[in-house]
Amino acid sequence: MKTVILGNGIIALSVAFRLAMRSSENDEIIVAGPTTRTGSATLAAGAMLNSFAEIEAGSLESELDLYRFELSHLATRMWPKFEKEIIEAAGSSLPYGCSKCQGFPGGGCVDIGTYVVNNTAADDLDDENYDAIVAALDAFDEPFKHVSPRDIPNYMPEQRHRATRALYIPNEGWFNPRLMLEKLDAALAKHPSVKFIDSPVDRLEKSGLQIDTAILENGQRLSADHFILATGATVSHVLNKSDLGIEIQRIFYGVGVSIEIQSPEFPHTKCIRTPNRGLACGIYTVPYFTNPDGPNDHILLGASNYLSPTPIHGGKISSVESILNAAIQQVNFNFYRANLVRVNVGWRPTSQDTYPLLGKTSYSNLIILSGTKRDGFHMSPVISEKVVAMLYGEPIDERFEVFSPERKPIRALTRKEAIAKAVRHQISANYQHGFNPAQNRMPAQLAEMYQDGLERLHDQVGAIDWGIPPEMLDMYRYGHALS
Ligand SMILES: Cc1cc2nc3c(=O)[nH]c(=O)nc-3n(C[C@H](O)[C@H](O)[C@H](O)COP(=O)(O)OP(=O)(O)OC[C@H]3O[C@@H](n4cnc5c(N)ncnc54)[C@H](O)[C@@H]3O)c2cc1C
């Protein structure tokens, strides 16, 4: 079997890895993608393995969302074995950063233990989402404990931004995604069935009901039995150039900034984060393991989310400013003395309906994997396992078809729910960015103003019996998303 995998982020490489582990002598696996990895979401990621800490009020109410959560929960359980397999396969080729790795957890670039803090930096949407996390932890019997914010290691927020409640989830962890990609690159590079090509794909060519060739930007033409398009946020761009005559909802660029700092006097040992808020993931601060010999004093601060129809290379200055301020004010005021190591800009692949696009297409040998938005790193062991089963014609849970790339956009929210949620998140975002209302009816008036604007937008785009996902509002407003 010859498989061409287009893309070289966590999704593409984890599929390549699982395929390589099952391959026999005559199999070929080609991974094509630029080694620069411009806009890679993976390299900018936290990369937190969160299921419960990501829960929001109302986010587990539909069967679809419960299924997505089930997969997320499964991913957490799959990571230790998956990581061990990668370490074993890389063997003596492990990169320096992983050279003394003890595996999962706590052996190197991966560790577990997440504190969720409920502070007053934004508005009471945080309280609702925090309550939803607690309710889910209880409902699913997930180990956790309520803790005093004062007992959280390296947690020293400014007085006005201190938490009133906090909890600790021992099983939710994080990776250094750079080391993970280096590790996967190393394991794949030494495998006899795998070949890397340092070039983006330009387009795909069809022949009847099959994809015939992937044409790379360097002019190379690749034929194969199977093609896997996993180029992250650029998937729609490649499909538009390919003219395959299939309808696949658009993937947008969820431009996210994260910031790596070095904090020698105030290093983190655990992840500290808020609940999701204001159309994004709140503020999080994650220990960032870099090498086995130096002090473990790097921390990743994240993250912003700015949705765009086209790539944005530099990120927004305002994103950098608000992440730094939030980390200093809400996690540890001593971070003002830390050293800046790097600002990452990654493009979260975000579909129009905000659910992932994962699976086969009308072309029997084309699989598309994108739209993983905020949790593609965490989900990669599950996604790669399903994809390899698809390639080998093995049965997979039929519920997974809900993510079929050619589906009509899922309309998960009613108009009323979507508008209520959007108003709530927009006001939460305002508070995060320093909103200080006058002592009159201003908050209520603002909510009414948002509500009126959102009703008009829904009318304009014909969203009468369905609701626009709140993070997609601008994409509908400016005509980038089609009804
Ligand atoms: C700031 C930030 C924080 C995040 N935090 C988390 C987190 O804590 N936990 C989590 O699970 N997820 C997180 N995510 C989301 C996660 O990073 C993504 O869901 C995941 O990395 C997507 O993987 P991917 O391989 O599809 O895309 P990418 O990682 O973007 O990889 C796509 C690759 O394809 C290459 N490529 C692009 N165009 C082409 C082309 N034409 N041909 C060939 N190759 C091409 C790119 O160079 C890139 O290397 C975060 C994302 C961001 C931006």
Side-chain angles (χ1 to χ4, degrees), residues 230-370:
T231 61
T234 69
V235 154
S236 295
H237 179 72
V238 177
L239 287 172
N240 288 344
K241 290 193 89 177
S242 305
D243 194 20
L244 300 179
I246 48 177
E247 271 188 36
I248 304 223
Q249 61 178 286
R250 187 165 177 178
I251 294 287
F252 293 94
Y253 295 76
V255 183
V257 167
S258 64
I259 302 171
E260 185 184 340
I261 61 168
Q262 186 196 23
S263 173
E265 293 162 79
F266 295 92
H268 259 17
T269 49
K270 298 289 174 191
C271 169
I272 305 176
R273 61 165 297 171
T274 66
N276 290 344
R277 51 161 76 139
L279 296 175
C281 50
I283 180 75
Y284 61 76
T285 55
V286 193
Y288 203 72
F289 179 89
T290 55
N291 72 77
D293 300 316
N296 197 357
D297 59 4
H298 287 224
I299 302 174
L300 195 80
L301 317 177
S304 61
N305 188 26
Y306 176 85
L307 220 60
S308 166
T310 50
I312 295 178
H313 290 265
K316 298 259 171 225
I317 285 179
S318 54
S319 302
V320 175
E321 186 254 5
S322 63
I323 291 169
L324 287 177
N325 266 338
I328 291 170
Q329 291 169 348
Q330 297 176 45
V331 179
N332 191 323
F333 63 85
N334 295 293
F335 287 163
Y336 79 92
R337 294 192 342 228
N339 303 315
L340 177 64
V341 179
R342 174 167 29 209
V343 176
N344 305 297
V345 181
W347 305 326
R348 293 181 189 87
T350 310
S351 68
Q352 178 171 329
D353 66 14
T354 73
Y355 289 89
L357 307 186
L358 305 169
K360 291 187 173 179
T361 63
S362 309
Y363 292 94
S364 57
N365 64 343
L366 174 64
I367 287 176
I368 294 179
L369 307 175
S370 187

Side-chain angles (χ1 to χ4, degrees), residues 50-73 129 131-142 355 375 412-413 421:
N50 285 169
S51 301
F52 288 94
E54 282 282 319
I55 285 173
E56 298 175 22
S59 70
L60 292 183
E61 274 167 16
S62 71
E63 248 179 65
L64 169 59
D65 288 331
L66 274 171
Y67 178 51
R68 190 149 83 156
F69 180 72
E70 182 184 315
L71 293 177
S72 163
H73 206 193
N129 289 343
D131 289 341
I133 294 171
V134 175
L137 287 162
D138 277 332
F140 288 88
D141 260 340
E142 175 73 13
Y355 289 89
D375 64 356
L413 296 173
K421 187 170 175 189

Side-chain angles (χ1 to χ4, degrees), residues 6-13 32-34 36-50 54 181 199-202 217 230-234 237-238 254-258 284 302-304 344-349 369-379:
L6 304 159
N8 56 1
I10 189 69
I11 299 296
L13 294 195
T36 51
R37 293 190 162 114
T38 306
S40 161
T42 307
L43 290 180
M48 297 178 294
L49 310 180
N50 285 169
E54 282 282 319
L181 284 196
S199 171
V201 61
D202 181 62
E217 283 187 13
T231 61
T234 69
H237 179 72
V238 177
V255 183
V257 167
S258 64
Y284 61 76
S304 61
N344 305 297
V345 181
W347 305 326
R348 293 181 189 87
L369 307 175
S370 187
T372 55
K373 202 173 74 164
R374 228 165 40 207
D375 64 356
F377 190 95
H378 179 207
M379 293 293 288

